[in-house]
Amino acid sequence: MIIRQLALRHGRRALAKPKTSYKRFLATETDTIEHSLDHSLQETHSIESQLNSISPTPISPIDSETHSTTNTDAIAEAYHIFKKQQSTTGHLGTTIAPHYQPHTLLTNPPSPSSVTLELLLASQSHLGHSTSLWNPANSRYIFGIRQGIHIISLDVTAAYLRRAAKIVSGVAERGGLILFVGTRPNQDRCVVNAATLAGGCHLFERWIPGSITNGQQILGHCKMKFVDEFDREIGGMGEQLVDCPSLKPDLVVCLNPLENYVLLHECGLNNIPTVGVIDTDANPTWVTYPIPANDDSLRCIQVIAGVLGKAGEEGQKKRHEAAKRGVITFTPRTGLKSPTSSTEANVSAG
């Protein structure tokens, strides 16, 4: 009984205490909130008074790149100091000479008139093969021997390259079909570029044997087109071109004769002139107009193909200028009728 009464007494006291403490807690919490609000209002009024007391100052300009304020006076002074130093020390030091840029041989190839020994030397055109691999027929093109390697005479290379450029220009001026062939790796771009400049055809894959000697069977299904003196296609000639034999190139430019001996042999059987890059291990009698140079150097091949492509472009321009004056520099195919006359004949017969 004594323990139960103590528990009841202390239990009532324990339950009564939180009410008073909770009331006190709520009272103190509201007092602190009101005090903080009053304090924040006082700070806001003080900040507003400080802002109103500040006098307006001009804002410096903002840089568009860095997005930061700049001092124009300091920039102008620094610029004047820089120009003064540049005028006093500009003549000192070395000048950077034009350097080699590989893409220029494709985008802007050299013309035949700009072929120099320095250009051929920089493109490694003078490097031949080992003396144990040489062909004795190339003795007239060899300048000497250095460390067991034959050195090709660049004077002969430049002369033969200019001669080949004249031949390509003459064939293009007379409306001939020029075929550029280069089947080694990475030669496709220079071959296509040279054929585009000269208005000819290109081949950068394997040559199909018999394409010339048996061209009617291999290339007979290929589409042909008829063009005028300005290389504009004339429509309505399909029926008349069905029975025409397959076209043969008037000139073949081979950049790697060692891998295309079958092509050169077929050209010899059909009396088609050829131009080829002959290294010290190749036979110069395989082609009609040899160009002694290093056929293993891609830069050398790009120079030679660019020069010959530019020569073909010059021949095309001469032919178009002559056509504007009414002069036709090539012999047109006979036995063909114009599309207008053939349609008129069919209408009258009907």
Side-chain angles (χ1 to χ4, degrees):
M1 294 295 291
I2 297 171
I3 296 172
R4 188 177 298 175
Q5 289 177 359
L6 289 173
L8 290 171
R9 291 175 183 175
H10 290 289
R12 292 172 182 174
R13 293 178 182 177
L15 292 173
K17 285 181 180 180
K19 295 180 180 179
T20 57
S21 61
Y22 186 66
K23 292 179 180 179
R24 290 177 183 175
F25 175 76
L26 290 176
T28 54
E29 186 69 20
T30 53
D31 294 339
T32 54
I33 292 173
E34 292 177 357
H35 181 70
S36 62
L37 288 174
D38 295 337
H39 183 67
S40 62
L41 288 173
Q42 292 177 1
E43 290 183 351
T44 306
H45 291 304
S46 63
I47 292 171
E48 289 180 356
S49 61
Q50 291 178 3
L51 291 175
N52 294 327
S53 63
I54 297 173
S55 60
T57 56
I59 301 174
S60 57
I62 298 175
D63 191 0
S64 60
E65 296 181 357
T66 61
H67 300 285
S68 61
T69 57
T70 57
N71 191 354
T72 55
D73 297 335
I75 292 175
E77 185 179 359
Y79 179 75
H80 289 304
I81 294 173
F82 167 73
K83 295 299 290 184
K84 185 178 180 180
Q85 292 179 352
Q86 187 179 17
S87 61
T88 55
T89 63
H91 62 281
L92 302 177
T94 58
T95 57
I96 300 176
H99 56 282
Y100 169 59
Q101 296 179 353
H103 64 276
T104 55
L105 294 177
L106 298 174
T107 58
N108 187 20
S111 60
S113 59
S114 62
V115 175
T116 58
L117 299 183
E118 291 80 2
L119 177 62
L120 297 176
L121 182 65
S123 62
Q124 301 178 355
S125 304
H126 61 289
L127 298 177
H129 284 272
S130 176
T131 55
S132 60
L133 301 176
W134 82 307
N135 192 316
N138 291 321
S139 59
R140 52 184 173 176
Y141 309 139
I142 295 175
F143 177 78
I145 301 174
R146 182 175 178 83
Q147 297 181 357
I149 297 176
H150 278 124
I151 304 300
I152 302 173
S153 177
L154 294 181
D155 294 329
V156 180
T157 302
Y160 279 60
L161 180 58
R162 294 190 185 100
R163 183 185 67 170
K166 290 183 179 179
I167 294 166
V168 173
S169 177
V171 173
E173 184 179 358
R174 288 165 178 80
L177 181 62
I178 305 175
L179 175 63
F180 288 85
V181 180
T183 58
R184 286 187 180 178
N186 300 324
Q187 289 185 356
D188 49 354
R189 294 184 62 187
C190 61
V191 170
V192 172
N193 185 51
T196 304
L197 292 174
C201 303
H202 60 269
L203 175 69
F204 50 84
E205 295 180 352
R206 187 181 70 89
W207 171 260
I208 300 176
S211 297
I212 295 178
T213 56
N214 194 19
Q216 191 64 29
Q217 298 296 328
I218 297 177
L219 303 176
H221 63 281
C222 296
K223 182 181 178 181
M224 300 173 62
K225 64 179 181 180
F226 192 80
V227 297
D228 58 1
E229 62 272 13
F230 296 101
D231 294 339
R232 295 175 301 192
E233 185 177 359
I234 300 176
M237 304 290 292
E239 297 179 357
Q240 303 184 46
L241 297 175
V242 172
D243 299 332
C244 293
S246 61
L247 292 178
K248 296 180 180 180
D250 298 297
L251 178 66
V252 175
V253 178
C254 186
L255 302 178
N256 53 334
L258 290 177
E259 290 83 358
N260 295 288
Y261 172 74
V262 177
L263 165 64
L264 300 177
H265 181 66
E266 293 183 13
C267 292
L269 294 177
N270 289 269
N271 298 324
I272 299 174
T274 56
V275 176
V277 180
I278 300 298
D279 209 335
T280 56
D281 61 340
N283 189 355
T285 60
W286 288 358
V287 296
T288 312
Y289 304 101
I291 302 176
N294 183 12
D295 61 350
D296 297 320
S297 175
L298 180 60
R299 184 176 177 182
C300 175
I301 295 299
Q302 289 178 351
V303 169
I304 294 175
V307 169
L308 298 180
K310 276 286 187 179
E313 186 181 22
E314 293 177 0
Q316 293 277 348
K317 290 180 180 179
K318 292 180 181 178
R319 180 166 60 85
H320 293 163
E321 291 176 359
K324 291 179 181 179
R325 299 192 303 266
V327 179
I328 300 177
T329 58
F330 59 92
T331 304
R333 184 186 292 270
T334 58
L336 296 177
K337 299 179 181 179
S338 61
T340 56
S341 60
S342 60
T343 53
E344 291 176 358
N346 294 333
V347 170
S348 59

